[in-house]
Amino acid sequence: MTKRLLPFLLLACTAVTLNACSDDGSEIGDGLEIFIDDWEEVLRGPADSVETLSIGDQLTSDNFANRGDIEVTYVEGATEIVVEMQRFTVAKSQGQADEAFGRMAAWTYDISSPSKPDPTMDEALCFAEETEDCYVRTYYDGQIQPTRDGANFRVSIPVGWDGDLVLVTEDNLGQGNYPDRSDVSVMGLAGNLEVTLDSGNVAVKLDPSMQHYAGCGSNDACEEMDHAPDCGCTEPTNIVVENEAGQSSNVTVDLADPDKWYTVQLENKGEFSASDDFICTATIDCSAFADCLIDPDFENVDYKQWAEINYPGEPAIAGAGLRIDVASENCENVEFVDDPTGFDIENGVPEIEKRGDLNVCVNCL
């Protein structure tokens, strides 16, 4: 997936021409450039001490918004979770950019609701004794985080880590002619996943060894009991991807193993009619599986498709396969900037593509 590294400016000042604004609303003027910092390692610790890893957030209390891409890779032979951060901003000089970078830092605590860090919170730092979850946010050291400031996250996780992964980001639309979309990529997923974003794109590839009940100690016994309801595990592994109201995303989920039992639900929730030529599709590649039953209610519906794949039969309960639940709230042409290099933030012309297509496949990523 092509990474989006581009931030947005603050809302344009009230003027005939588009000019950027400082935090107090005054005009900065022409000559603005995109500045992207180097990658910096901000967190490292033993993966087996973490049950839930949460990366990124939307704007909370005028702070903590990353507004960037999130890239997660499960790495063979690794034992630690490693998080890297890459700050970005828009400024008139490297000096101004460095000042902005100096105000942005990684916030890493076992605290679900972020707040200004202080020494009394040290016992809740990620990987501290008796912590089990880790929340990673972008913290801005100031009263209000400027909309031009944010960060990308790059995460390495050991292959087979079956903890819960929660990823949240948002687009930065501070200046209309510079649409910075934030994408999400997860390669080698082995546990539960929740993704929430705006109109970025998403690519998820499952580990072919993913367990049916990720994180449940009775997974193997349940497999041997043909997924009987009383086998000791209650919830199958869940992969959920959704975006905010009115947003459109292309989403691809690569199941990697065609032999597992899956319950798949794809839906574009935009408004369509029978006469629409412009439509987004929901596609399950049934040809990749030995047994793939499409819900007949949606068999001829382009934008919605549900399927039960490789259902093993009783005593397993239909609909309790590895759950893939993917939705796009809309279907529309989306403007985006693919590469910040050399882009004129005042006069540049963004690219445009239809977004809202949903796809489930095997070995396509």
Side-chain angles (χ1 to χ4, degrees):
M1 174 181 291
T2 303
K3 286 185 65 58
R4 311 282 195 265
L5 303 179
L6 308 181
F8 275 102
L9 299 176
L10 295 172
L11 291 172
C13 297
T14 304
V16 175
T17 59
L18 285 173
N19 292 307
C21 308
S22 66
D23 294 343
D24 62 5
S26 61
E27 184 177 312
I28 295 176
D30 299 332
L32 292 168
E33 299 179 42
I34 303 158
F35 290 88
I36 302 171
D37 204 6
D38 294 332
W39 284 103
E40 176 188 358
E41 183 179 310
V42 295
L43 183 69
R44 178 185 289 264
D48 59 7
S49 70
V50 177
E51 294 184 4
T52 298
L53 177 63
S54 175
I55 304 290
D57 204 351
Q58 297 172 336
L59 193 67
T60 303
S61 301
D62 296 319
N63 209 325
F64 303 106
N66 48 302
R67 304 190 182 104
D69 296 344
I70 302 175
E71 178 184 340
V72 181
T73 304
Y74 288 68
V75 179
E76 189 72 45
T79 59
E80 296 178 310
I81 292 172
V82 179
V83 179
E84 297 172 276
M85 180 177 178
Q86 184 184 53
R87 302 163 181 85
F88 52 71
T89 190
V90 172
K92 294 180 69 174
S93 68
Q94 184 66 57
Q96 287 185 353
D98 289 342
E99 182 179 353
F101 294 157
R103 287 181 173 270
M104 286 184 277
W107 187 98
T108 57
Y109 294 91
D110 183 3
I111 301 173
S112 59
S113 298
S115 60
K116 182 178 180 179
D118 66 69
T120 65
M121 298 163 56
D122 285 357
E123 64 182 15
L125 283 165
C126 291
F127 305 115
E129 188 176 357
E130 297 185 2
T131 62
E132 58 185 25
D133 300 330
C134 180
Y135 298 83
V136 180
R137 304 291 185 259
T138 301
Y139 173 68
Y140 180 79
D141 186 11
Q143 289 187 337
I144 298 176
Q145 181 181 355
T147 59
R148 63 179 177 266
D149 293 349
N152 303 299
F153 283 114
R154 189 165 65 188
V155 185
S156 298
I157 297 174
V159 163
W161 181 77
D162 62 358
D164 296 345
L165 185 62
V166 181
L167 308 177
V168 180
T169 190
E170 63 182 2
D171 295 340
N172 195 342
L173 303 178
Q175 182 172 327
N177 72 320
Y178 188 37
D180 177 23
R181 309 295 175 178
S182 297
D183 295 339
V184 174
S185 171
V186 182
M187 295 293 113
L189 178 71
N192 295 297
L193 172 68
E194 295 180 21
V195 176
T196 305
L197 74 167
D198 285 340
S199 286
N201 290 332
V202 180
V204 178
K205 185 177 181 68
L206 275 54
D207 183 336
S209 299
M210 171 183 277
Q211 294 188 334
H212 194 92
Y213 307 95
C216 179
S218 299
N219 178 83
D220 293 347
C222 286
E223 296 276 4
E224 293 173 1
M225 296 173 64
D226 297 323
H227 306 281
D230 59 349
C231 70
C233 298
T234 57
E235 285 294 323
T237 307
N238 278 271
I239 293 90
V240 179
V241 180
E242 59 187 5
N243 51 17
E244 295 295 334
Q247 304 290 341
S248 303
S249 297
N250 292 333
V251 182
T252 298
V253 179
D254 185 339
L255 301 183
D257 183 353
D259 298 324
K260 284 186 168 59
W261 172 28
Y262 304 96
T263 299
V264 180
Q265 297 185 359
L266 309 180
E267 182 178 4
N268 189 295
K269 298 181 179 181
E271 296 183 2
F272 305 101
S273 67
S275 61
D276 277 342
D277 292 327
F278 185 87
I279 195 166
C280 289
T281 58
T283 305
I284 300 169
D285 182 12
C286 273
S287 66
F289 308 99
D291 181 23
C292 179
L293 179 62
I294 297 291
D295 189 320
D297 289 342
F298 312 117
E299 191 170 8
N300 297 313
V301 178
D302 291 328
Y303 55 86
K304 187 174 184 178
Q305 200 163 72
W306 293 6
E308 192 78 2
I309 298 172
N310 299 326
Y311 170 54
E314 295 182 348
I317 299 174
L322 282 165
R323 289 178 181 155
I324 314 297
D325 188 353
V326 176
S328 178
E329 290 293 321
N330 205 359
C331 171
E332 63 181 352
N333 285 321
V334 174
E335 291 186 330
F336 67 99
V337 175
D338 196 46
D339 186 351
T341 305
F343 185 79
D344 185 337
I345 62 175
E346 295 185 0
N347 302 304
V349 178
E351 299 180 66
I352 189 167
E353 70 176 1
K354 184 185 74 171
R355 293 192 177 181
D357 290 331
L358 313 175
N359 183 40
V360 165
C361 55
V362 175
N363 293 326
C364 62
L365 291 176

